[in-house]
Amino acid sequence: MRRRLHPLIASILVSLAFTAGFLFSHHRPPEAAERHSFALGTLVHLKLYGPGAEDALDGALDRLNELEDAFSVHRVGSDVARINESAGREPVPVRPETDRVLRLAREVARASGGAFDPTVGPLVSLWGIGTPAARIPGKEEILRTRGLVGWRDLIPPDGTEKGWKLARPGQALDLGGIAKGYAGDDLAERLRRRGILAGLLDLGGNILVFGPHPGGGNWTIGIQDPRKPRGTPLGSVTLEEGTVVTSGVYERFFEQQGVRYHHLLDPATGVPARSGLLSVTVVASSSALADALSTALFVLGPARSRSLLARYPAEVLFVTEDRKILLTPSLRRRFRLTDRSFTLRDLPGEKAP
Ligand code: ADP
Ligand code: MG
């Protein structure tokens, strides 16, 4: 029998399951609090369960603001802005969290052969996607700008130098592909430490859940249908704890003469990645890793994803332009398709030979 679910979003599912769990149990529910806000350049939705949940929300939003002070390209004096200003000159001492995120960014850049590259800043500015200045640059400009991108030029502190630096003038960091994931991990850890029992953190579609689901059972996270209005899932993933992060062509883009120019740039070509994909979802335990991987895997596409996936504990789901969903076998067992116009396929050759 064909079964159809009405479109639902993760937060609705969570609320329903929570209420149901409460009705059928004899315990009082833990204190719960929920907030919608804007941080790290995106919509944020936090839902927390446990003692002091309301105060913990304030703390979490303050923390997001601090992280933005470290990671934002646009905030004057942020670690990233200072490294960018200092490109080609002296190293810049940074906060411990910036150091951590830059190390992970560099590692995923290396592992992905530069498909994920935190020095993509000059290309991001050139295209301006998601800003009023968005435009299609000329071939020359693209070539010249592409030459400024290169993660090997992001130089970590060594014995003599106490900070991070970019080797050449004009180079620039952009942590848009990893910062939200890092922020999710950071918040979850802090919230746990202050006694929050469970929570759902949605940072612009980067979802992280921790602690036992208040309604009992697993958490269910909807996966956005890349062709439908926001909040319309094509299916859902269940998980005990962990993160579900999606990179898709629908987040930020403009269209010209029927072509969509989106914000996931291929550092090798200097143009929006064309790998036949509409979105990539990564399920893992670290949100920072999942975030970087989702961007890398979008650029690489399913055919070139194998060695990266063999290296990290992560599951992936690709949504292709021709309405296929390719996914790693163990994710297939936890994925439920609700939009039957998509066809499910195992991602071939998941494990490295
Ligand atoms: P979002 O949730 O905003 O869609 P993604 O994780 O998909 O975030 O990352 C997209 C952002 O990452 C872009 O807006 C840009 O700032 C940056 N970016 C774009 N292409 C790359 C790339 N190849 N490597 C690293 N970062 C990138
Ligand atoms: Mg990402």
Side-chain angles (χ1 to χ4, degrees), residues 261-315:
Y261 298 89
H262 56 76
H263 70 144
L264 301 160
L265 302 168
D266 184 346
T269 59
V271 308
R274 294 188 201 108
S275 41
L277 295 173
L278 294 177
S279 69
V280 175
T281 297
V282 175
V283 180
S285 55
S286 154
S287 202
L289 176 65
D291 196 2
L293 287 180
S294 72
T295 307
L297 290 166
F298 190 98
V299 172
L300 290 170
R304 292 191 292 158
S305 64
R306 189 197 299 196
S307 68
L308 195 56
L309 286 172
R311 197 159 181 150
Y312 290 108
E315 302 285 334

Side-chain angles (χ1 to χ4, degrees), residues 116 176-178 206 245-247 264 288 290-296:
F116 174 87
I178 192 171
N206 276 37
V245 174
T246 301
S247 288
L264 301 160
D291 196 2
L293 287 180
S294 72
T295 307

Side-chain angles (χ1 to χ4, degrees), residues 13-60:
L13 272 177
V14 170
S15 323
L16 288 178
F18 175 66
T19 314
F22 169 55
L23 289 176
F24 294 116
S25 79
H26 301 287
H27 302 293
R28 277 162 52 83
E31 188 185 329
E34 181 176 13
R35 192 91 49 92
H36 292 268
S37 187
F38 193 83
L40 293 170
T42 192
L43 291 170
V44 168
H45 174 209
L46 308 177
K47 199 154 182 184
L48 305 180
Y49 303 89
E54 194 63 48
D55 287 347
L57 280 176
D58 293 330

Side-chain angles (χ1 to χ4, degrees), residues 129-164:
I129 291 167
T131 76
R135 67 185 178 96
I136 306 173
K139 284 208 171 67
E140 273 302 310
E141 282 176 293
I142 292 176
L143 275 179
R144 203 173 343 110
T145 310
R146 200 186 67 183
L148 289 170
V149 178
W151 60 269
R152 285 189 177 83
D153 293 332
L154 171 60
I155 302 168
D158 64 18
T160 49
E161 294 183 335
K162 290 188 303 300
W164 284 80

